[in-house]
């Protein structure tokens, strides 16, 4: 394991020297850039084509002051200078009908084409420049945010559950190499980056050292463990939770620096085993895991007024289950829980607001 860590640190140093370009954070837009541009240009060309047809149909109401003949080229030329409000006076409407066509039909189309191009300029020059500048400022000021590395089944479920628990989606940053998954995260309101989460520069771009929590679910155990190593190297004090699927990789994930290692296969086995011992045990465990249930598990540090009290008396609206003291877990029945100390972390079960109403 030490040889693997040495190789990883050497690779990390090389990556820091040879920094790759990363895509900046982004949020969802209704249409891709080229799709929006294509629609606008297509609509403008269609309107110009309509005006050309109108002028060709009513060419008898036009006069060419140069040769007296109005050809299709003259009609096209007159259409362009009419829409752009240039006007040279060489071709002009002379009949009442031609002038009414210009006033009632061509003029509104002229304004429509004008606003299409003005809107395009605003959208692609002003609005997008402002959005890029704003996202860059957000990226520079990220702090106490939650970084989710991998937006597969587990990652997406975790993000949805965080939002259900009240986390603002704008405080969640999702990094995934897949464009489709990134778009799914955008729809939830999260900040996303399409990039490789094993790269130092990618994690530094989202200010990983300032994050409140990091959730890793890359889909492959080896990739997830490499990500944990990278995160722990850049952010020594940030809590890291990682999903691994093989039992023998749980120890490696711990050695890599993960604070919490979650094995969904093992958890499923626990639910199955619990259901064999009682029809409602699995239901209650699922209830604990979801914010939509009647009860939920919470973790908090001991308040100043609780120091010296037993665990059973410190939880006002809930039930204390265990404490963590100096990295060691103690159950509510153990003597260590008879007097809470400063710095203890309490895990308790509390009713959700809906559960209290029931």
């Amino acid at each position: 394991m030490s040889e693997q860590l040495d190789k990883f640190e050497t690779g990390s140093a090389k990556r820091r020297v040879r920094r790759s370009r990363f895509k900046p954070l982004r949020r969802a837009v209704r249409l891709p850039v080229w799709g929006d541009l294509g629609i606008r240009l297509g609509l403008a060309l269609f309107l110009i084509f309509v005006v050309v047809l109108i002028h060709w149909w009513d060419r008898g109401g036009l006069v060419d002051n140069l040769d007296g003949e109005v050809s299709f080229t003259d009609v096209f030329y007159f259409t362009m200078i009419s829409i752009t409000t240039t006007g040279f006076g060489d071709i002009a409407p002379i009949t009442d009908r031609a002038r009414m066509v210009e006033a009632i039909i061509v003029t509104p189309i002229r304004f429509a084409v004008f606003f299409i191009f003005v809107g395009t300029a605003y959208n692609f020059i002003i609005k997008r420049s402002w959005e890029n500048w704003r996202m860059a400022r957000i990226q520079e000021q990220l702090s106490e945010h939650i970084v989710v590395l991998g937006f597969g089944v587990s990652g997406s479920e975790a993000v949805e559950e965080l939002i259900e628990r009240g986390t603002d989606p704008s405080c969640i940053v999702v990094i995934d190499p897949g464009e489709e998954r990134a778009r799914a995260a955008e729809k939830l309101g999260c900040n996303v980056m399409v990039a490789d989460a094993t790269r130092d520069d990618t994690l530094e771009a989202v200010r990983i050292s300032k994050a409140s929590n990091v959730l890793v679910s890359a889909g492959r155990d080896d990739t997830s463990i490499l990500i944990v190593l990278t995160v722990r190297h850049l952010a020594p004090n940030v809590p890291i939770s990682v999903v691994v699927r093989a039992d023998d990789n749980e120890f490696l994930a711990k050695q890599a620096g993960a604070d919490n290692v979650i094995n969904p296969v093992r958890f499923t086995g626990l639910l199955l085993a619990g259901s064999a011992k009682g029809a409602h045990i699995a239901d209650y465990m699922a209830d604990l895991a979801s914010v939509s249930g009647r009860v939920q598990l919470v973790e908090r540090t001991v308040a100043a007024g609780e120091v010296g009290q037993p665990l059973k008396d410190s939880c006002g609206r809930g039930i204390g289950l265990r404490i963590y003291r100096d990295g060691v877990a103690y159950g509510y029945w153990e003597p260590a829980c008879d007097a809470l100390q400063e710095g203890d972390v309490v895990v308790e079960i509390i009713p959700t607001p809906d559960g209290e109403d029931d």
Side-chain angles (χ1 to χ4, degrees):
M1 184 64 189
S2 60
E3 293 180 358
Q4 294 176 345
L5 290 174
D6 291 340
K7 291 180 180 179
F8 172 77
E9 291 178 355
T10 302
S12 297
K14 291 180 180 179
R15 287 198 299 273
R16 287 195 299 274
V17 174
R18 187 181 64 255
R19 297 175 66 87
S20 65
R21 294 179 61 84
F22 59 87
K23 295 184 179 180
L25 290 176
R26 72 172 199 259
R27 287 179 183 165
V29 292
R30 287 187 293 273
L31 284 175
V33 173
W34 293 112
D36 192 6
L37 181 60
I39 291 175
R40 293 172 186 269
L41 290 178
L43 181 58
L45 292 175
F46 172 76
L47 292 175
I48 292 173
F49 177 72
V50 169
V51 176
V52 170
L53 291 180
I54 293 173
H55 282 156
W56 177 249
W57 168 74
D58 193 40
R59 62 187 180 278
L62 302 177
V63 61
D64 188 341
N65 294 319
L66 295 179
D67 56 14
E69 181 182 353
V70 179
S71 64
F72 183 79
T73 302
D74 293 330
V75 167
F76 183 77
Y77 163 75
F78 176 68
T79 298
M80 298 308 296
I81 64 173
S82 177
I83 286 180
T84 58
T85 68
T86 304
F88 296 109
D90 47 354
I91 300 178
I94 57 174
T95 66
D96 292 340
R97 185 179 66 180
R99 291 174 177 174
M100 289 299 292
V101 167
E102 291 295 320
I104 298 176
I105 300 178
V106 177
T107 297
I109 292 178
R110 179 186 300 127
F111 280 111
V113 173
F114 174 76
F115 283 118
I116 286 173
F117 283 105
V118 169
T120 301
Y122 166 74
N123 194 49
F124 287 96
I125 299 177
I126 302 175
K127 182 180 177 181
R128 293 188 183 277
S129 298
W130 164 256
E131 183 66 14
N132 291 337
W133 181 86
R134 188 176 69 89
M135 291 306 298
R137 299 290 78 74
I138 291 175
Q139 193 166 345
E140 292 176 358
Q141 298 171 9
L142 286 173
S143 181
E144 294 300 315
H145 52 297
I146 298 175
V147 180
V148 180
L149 305 177
F151 199 71
V153 175
S154 299
S156 59
E157 288 288 339
V159 170
E160 291 176 3
E161 185 69 17
L162 284 169
I163 294 174
E164 285 289 330
R165 291 173 181 261
T167 302
D168 187 348
S170 64
C171 294
I172 301 175
V173 176
V174 175
I175 299 178
D176 194 282
E179 182 66 36
E180 184 176 349
R181 291 180 176 181
R183 286 197 296 267
E186 280 184 296
K187 292 179 181 179
L188 297 176
C190 302
N191 305 298
V192 304
M193 180 184 291
V194 181
D196 182 2
T198 65
R199 307 283 301 190
D200 287 16
D201 51 0
T202 298
L203 299 179
E204 289 172 348
V206 298
R207 296 171 63 88
I208 197 73
S209 61
K210 300 294 184 180
S212 62
N213 281 278
V214 175
L215 310 181
V216 181
S217 178
R220 289 173 53 99
D221 286 1
D222 53 352
T223 305
S224 294
I225 292 173
L226 179 58
I227 291 174
V228 171
L229 281 167
T230 309
V231 174
R232 182 53 71 214
H233 168 68
L234 297 174
N237 301 317
V238 174
I240 304 173
S241 299
V242 61
V243 173
V244 296
R245 289 167 174 78
D247 292 344
D248 53 354
N249 286 333
E250 293 184 25
F251 174 75
L252 292 177
K254 280 285 188 181
Q255 289 292 100
D259 298 283
N260 297 298
V261 179
I262 301 166
N263 190 328
V265 177
R266 175 174 294 181
F267 185 72
T268 302
L270 293 175
L271 289 178
L272 286 173
S275 64
K277 294 296 183 179
H280 305 296
I281 293 178
D283 177 67
Y284 194 80
M285 292 177 67
D287 199 1
L288 281 174
S290 174
V291 71
S292 60
R294 298 180 60 193
V295 292
Q296 60 180 301
L297 286 171
V298 297
E299 179 180 309
R300 63 178 180 84
T301 56
V302 170
E306 296 173 335
V307 174
Q309 296 183 9
L311 177 62
K312 62 181 180 180
D313 296 335
S314 64
C315 303
R317 46 192 292 262
I319 299 174
L321 301 178
R322 66 169 51 171
I323 64 170
Y324 286 85
R325 180 179 298 159
D326 299 325
V328 180
Y330 298 98
Y332 64 89
W333 63 90
E334 297 184 76
C337 295
D338 292 340
L340 297 176
Q341 298 180 9
E342 185 178 357
D344 286 350
V345 177
V346 176
V347 176
E348 60 184 357
I349 182 172
I350 64 172
T352 61
D354 292 340
E356 289 180 319
D357 293 340
D358 293 342

